[in-house]
Amino acid sequence: MEITYEEFLPTATNNLKNMRKKIINRLVYFLSKNQISNYVSLIVAMIDKSCFLIDGYINCLFNKNLTVAGLIVRAQIDVCMRVYGLSLVENKEYVCKEILSGKQLKNFKDKNGKQLRDGYLKEQLDIVLNKTKRVYNKASGYAHFSNVAFSHCFVNLNGTKLKLQVGHIKESDEKHLIEGYDVMMYYLIFLCENLF
C-alpha cells in the first residue's frame, strides 16, 4: 500500500532533521577527542554545507520544488565525493591545507596517481556506494540544462499536442521528490558513517 505525499511529508522531514542532529553530534564527539587540523576544518565546512542542504531539501519537500531539490541532491553527492576523495590521497593534511587556501580537490592525485576530478570521484564512490554514477548523472540533469528541464515544462496531452506548463507543480513531482529524499538519506547516512 502506497502512502500519500501528505503522509510521507512529516516522516521525511522528521528523518532529515534527525539526520542533521546526528551528523552534528558526531562532529561534536569527534572534536572533543581531536585537535583542530586542516582536515577537521574541511570536514566541519562539509558538515555545515550538508546541514544547509538538509534544510533546503526540507523546504523543497514542503514547496514541491523538484528543480531545486534535484540541485540539492547533486550537491549532497558532491559533498560525499569530496569526503571520500580525501580518503584516497596520501597526505590528507597537506591536501586539506591547500584546499582551505583556495585550491580544488581536482588539482590533486590519489595514491595511484589518478587526478581527483568529478568523473573519477564518481566512479570511485560508485565502488563503495552502488548506483552513485547513475544517481549522480540523473541529478546532474537538474544542474545543467537538459531534457529534465524540457520534460518538466511540457505535458503530452494525447500524443499530438503538448501543453506548456511553466512554474507549475506536476503530480509526478511528488514521486520524484520522494525518490530524492531516499537518495538524500542514503548519502547523508554515508557521510555520517564515513566522516572520521
Side-chain angles (χ1 to χ4, degrees):
M1 178 180 191
E2 283 190 39
I3 64 170
T4 65
Y5 191 78
E6 289 68 31
E7 293 168 327
F8 154 81
L9 196 56
T11 301
T13 55
N14 190 49
N15 288 344
L16 286 164
K17 288 175 183 177
N18 286 337
M19 183 56 69
R20 187 185 198 280
K21 288 177 191 170
K22 186 175 181 180
I23 290 170
I24 291 171
N25 288 339
R26 286 217 18 144
L27 175 64
V28 169
Y29 176 78
F30 179 77
L31 291 175
S32 72
K33 305 279 185 204
N34 295 280
Q35 293 182 353
I36 293 293
S37 65
N38 293 315
Y39 174 70
V40 171
S41 297
L42 201 60
I43 293 299
V44 168
M46 291 192 190
I47 291 172
D48 183 60
K49 183 173 184 173
S50 290
C51 287
F52 284 109
L53 292 173
I54 291 168
D55 296 345
Y57 202 84
I58 290 170
N59 288 335
C60 288
L61 289 176
F62 279 107
N63 296 318
K64 297 183 182 179
N65 188 335
L66 180 60
T67 299
V68 175
L71 291 166
I72 290 171
V73 167
R74 163 69 189 277
Q76 187 59 54
I77 295 171
D78 283 346
V79 168
C80 290
M81 285 173 20
R82 277 140 187 79
V83 168
Y84 187 68
L86 292 174
S87 73
L88 302 175
V89 300
E90 289 224 19
N91 189 338
K92 191 184 311 183
E93 193 62 24
Y94 169 75
V95 170
C96 290
K97 177 180 167 267
E98 293 297 304
I99 290 171
L100 289 169
S101 70
K103 289 192 179 171
Q104 294 183 344
L105 188 59
K106 70 180 181 179
N107 295 328
F108 299 94
K109 294 181 179 180
D110 72 359
K111 297 170 188 172
N112 299 314
K114 301 285 186 177
Q115 205 77 34
L116 295 173
R117 298 189 186 282
D118 284 357
Y120 180 69
L121 291 173
K122 174 178 61 172
E123 289 175 8
Q124 294 306 300
L125 188 57
D126 191 69
I127 294 168
V128 179
L129 284 176
N130 192 17
K131 301 179 186 167
T132 293
K133 286 193 289 190
R134 184 180 59 78
V135 173
Y136 180 88
N137 292 340
K138 185 175 181 180
S140 292
Y142 293 96
H144 308 292
F145 190 75
S146 69
N147 66 334
V148 172
F150 178 79
S151 64
H152 192 266
C153 62
F154 289 96
V155 177
N156 189 341
L157 293 179
N158 60 11
T160 60
K161 290 186 177 183
L162 290 177
K163 179 181 176 186
L164 175 64
Q165 293 187 155
V166 176
H168 179 73
I169 297 168
K170 294 168 56 175
E171 190 175 312
S172 62
D173 290 352
E174 292 178 355
K175 179 185 117 187
H176 296 300
L177 286 162
I178 292 170
E179 289 172 359
Y181 158 78
D182 290 337
V183 171
M184 279 292 287
M185 290 299 292
Y186 183 68
Y187 286 95
L188 288 167
I189 289 167
F190 169 81
L191 182 69
C192 192
E193 293 174 353
N194 293 282
L195 280 172
F196 312 110

